[in-house]
């Protein structure tokens, strides 16, 4: 799941940078399972994945912190979702998505804690 979050954070970074510097760029969809395999994240050490995920997260936060209200409304054309804003990427594609997976991790940890043995 952490590797999946890394791929999503990485793609969000690319999208945010493009939307910040280009006018309505085309934003292709991606197959996270294929990218996990191509990049070898399944076999990568957990700490390396976590560090890379955190690095992209910090870059994304730094980029977003520097945006004006007007820049938050800049758009791109997502291959599957159509026009999206930087605000949408930050809110829906990052924050809500990460929150969902963190809740799944917490639920799994609770479940594992009550399992016998």
């Amino acid at each position: 799941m952490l590797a999946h979050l890394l791929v999503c954070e990485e793609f969000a970074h690319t999208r945010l940078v493009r939307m910040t510097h280009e006018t309505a760029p085309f934003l292709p969809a991606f197959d996270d399972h294929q990218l996990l395999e191509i990049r070898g994240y399944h076999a990568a050490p957990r700490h390396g994945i976590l560090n890379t995920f955190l690095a992209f997260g910090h870059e994304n936060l730094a980029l977003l912190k520097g945006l004006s209200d007007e820049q938050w409304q800049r758009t791109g054309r997502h291959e599957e979702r159509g026009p999206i804003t930087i605000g949408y990427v930050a809110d829906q594609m990052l924050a809500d998505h990460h929150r969902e997976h963190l809740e799944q991790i917490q639920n799994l940890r609770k479940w594992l804690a009550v399992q016998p043995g």
Side-chain angles (χ1 to χ4, degrees), residues 2 4 8 10 21 24 33 35-36 44 51-52 60 77 106 110 113 115:
L2 186 57
H4 164 75
C8 294
E10 181 182 347
H21 299 291
H33 298 290
L35 286 172
L36 290 172
N51 289 339
T52 305
N60 287 338
R77 291 175 290 109
Q106 286 176 328
K110 288 177 187 175
Q115 295 306 303

Side-chain angles (χ1 to χ4, degrees), residues 89-103:
V89 172
D91 185 46
Q92 301 294 317
M93 296 180 130
L94 284 175
D96 284 351
H97 178 256
H98 290 358
R99 188 177 307 106
E100 176 184 331
H101 285 300
L102 290 173
E103 287 173 5

Side-chain angles (χ1 to χ4, degrees), residues 6-26:
L6 167 56
V7 169
C8 294
E9 191 79 33
E10 181 182 347
F11 259 76
H13 179 74
T14 301
R15 289 173 175 161
L16 291 169
V17 168
R18 290 193 62 212
M19 292 169 76
T20 301
H21 299 291
E22 299 174 31
T23 301
F26 175 75

